[in-house]
Amino acid sequence: MKFPERLKLKRQEAGMTQEQLAKKAGMTARTIQNYELGARRPRNDAIIEKLASAVGCTYEELMGIGDVYILDAQTKGGAKAARDMEDLVEEVVGLFAGGTMDEAAMDGVYRAFSEAYWDAKDRNKKYTPKKYRSDL
């Protein structure tokens, strides 16, 4: 289950409408709608914390391990990095679907993929034209 589905489920379990959640979390109903549709992602951990508190759950209950990596990618590299990480997470999840790996082993695999992704981005920066680099 991805973040949009978990947010909707937690909101419904709390007996709230999108408008009620938006008001309680200090956001617009449109923002909640976009999160639940998967059209937008929260920009940072503080937003996730507000949403989790508003629906009465923990950060960890609202975010899956894959979503944590996607949010990290978005924070570090923007929307394209988040989309790339989302694609990678989906492929890895598909790879392990129906497998016998325990949670700790899967966390390790995700962590290794995430680290490999950022390592490759760092190594490939030298090939990016200076006018497109944000680290200069």
Side-chain angles (χ1 to χ4, degrees):
M1 184 180 296
K2 294 182 183 179
F3 172 77
E5 293 91 16
R6 275 192 303 281
L7 177 60
K8 184 175 182 178
L9 177 66
K10 293 295 182 184
R11 176 183 59 76
Q12 290 172 336
E13 287 175 353
M16 302 171 80
T17 65
Q18 289 179 340
E19 293 79 15
Q20 290 168 327
L21 173 56
K23 186 174 181 179
K24 192 169 182 182
M27 301 171 189
T28 66
R30 184 71 169 165
T31 297
I32 301 300
Q33 181 182 33
N34 283 330
Y35 289 162
E36 289 186 2
L37 290 172
R40 283 183 56 197
R41 294 181 188 88
R43 291 186 314 271
N44 56 51
D45 288 334
I47 293 170
I48 302 294
E49 291 288 350
K50 282 183 185 179
L51 290 167
S53 176
V55 296
C57 71
T58 65
Y59 177 95
E60 292 77 17
E61 289 174 305
L62 193 54
M63 294 290 285
I65 189 71
D67 290 313
V68 170
Y69 289 119
I70 293 167
L71 179 61
D72 184 48
Q74 181 171 323
T75 302
K76 290 179 180 177
K80 181 171 182 346
R83 284 190 303 274
D84 291 346
M85 183 59 77
E86 185 173 25
D87 291 344
L88 178 61
V89 167
E90 285 181 19
E91 288 179 27
V92 170
V93 168
L95 179 69
F96 296 118
T100 58
M101 288 185 111
D102 65 13
E103 190 76 22
M106 290 200 344
D107 287 352
V109 170
Y110 280 130
R111 185 169 288 113
F113 276 118
S114 181
E115 289 171 7
Y117 172 83
W118 290 112
D119 183 53
K121 279 192 73 87
D122 287 341
R123 279 186 279 120
N124 289 327
K125 279 183 183 177
K126 64 184 174 186
Y127 301 111
T128 303
K130 289 182 182 181
K131 67 180 183 179
Y132 296 114
R133 291 180 56 183
S134 61
D135 63 332
L136 296 177

